[in-house]
Amino acid sequence: MTVHALENCRTGRVRRDQDTGVLVAELLFGTRLRSGDTFLFRYGVEDGTAGVSGEYAHRFGFPGGQYALQVGFDAAALPARCHRFTQPTPAAPRGGRQELRISAPHHGVHVVEPRIRPGMVGIAWDWE
């Protein structure tokens, strides 16, 4: 898997755990943010492993502002279903499940979290 810094950031350190399949990447902004500052950036994750992927999640260590997550699919390989989820810790059960409709023209789904809490926010899908 590869992380691509697309707008207003650059890729820093990248760590992988082969046993769990977890990838952690540092995105550097080039400016120091103060409490209450907002900053827009865009990055992409390319999964060239040829393995089947069923979710994407972002973990937050601290509460914060808004977060938007968008997942796109190839038009020839759309999943059967998608849903949003939250998870307070990796070991905790998932909650906050909400079904998401795939956008016909863009072949993707998105969620916007207005107020981030510590834990994970993600999108999962079923291929069925």
Side-chain angles (χ1 to χ4, degrees):
M1 294 180 69
T2 307
V3 175
H4 300 281
L6 301 174
E7 289 181 44
N8 300 329
C9 63
R10 61 186 171 85
T11 306
R13 296 172 289 186
V14 177
R15 302 288 185 261
R16 293 172 175 81
D17 184 322
Q18 299 298 332
D19 293 337
T20 62
V22 172
L23 169 81
V24 177
E26 180 181 44
L27 296 171
L28 305 171
F29 302 149
T31 187
R32 187 176 193 91
L33 299 179
R34 295 180 306 246
S35 180
D37 284 353
T38 59
F39 191 83
L40 296 178
F41 63 99
R42 190 167 68 97
Y43 67 95
V45 178
E46 183 177 346
D47 184 352
T49 64
V52 176
S53 179
E55 67 181 35
Y56 183 88
H58 188 94
R59 184 169 184 261
F60 297 91
F62 301 97
Q66 285 188 336
Y67 174 70
L69 171 60
Q70 177 177 309
V71 176
F73 301 97
D74 186 294
L78 296 175
R81 285 174 302 284
C82 295
H83 67 270
R84 163 209 183 270
F85 67 88
T86 58
Q87 196 170 1
T89 67
R94 290 188 172 172
R97 185 182 168 107
Q98 176 185 3
E99 294 298 317
L100 302 171
R101 284 191 353 203
I102 297 173
S103 166
H106 303 293
H107 313 296
V109 294
H110 75 277
V111 296
V112 176
E113 295 295 319
R115 207 172 38 135
I116 292 300
R117 295 183 186 112
M120 294 171 34
V121 174
I123 295 174
W125 52 90
D126 298 314
W127 293 109
E128 225 173 63

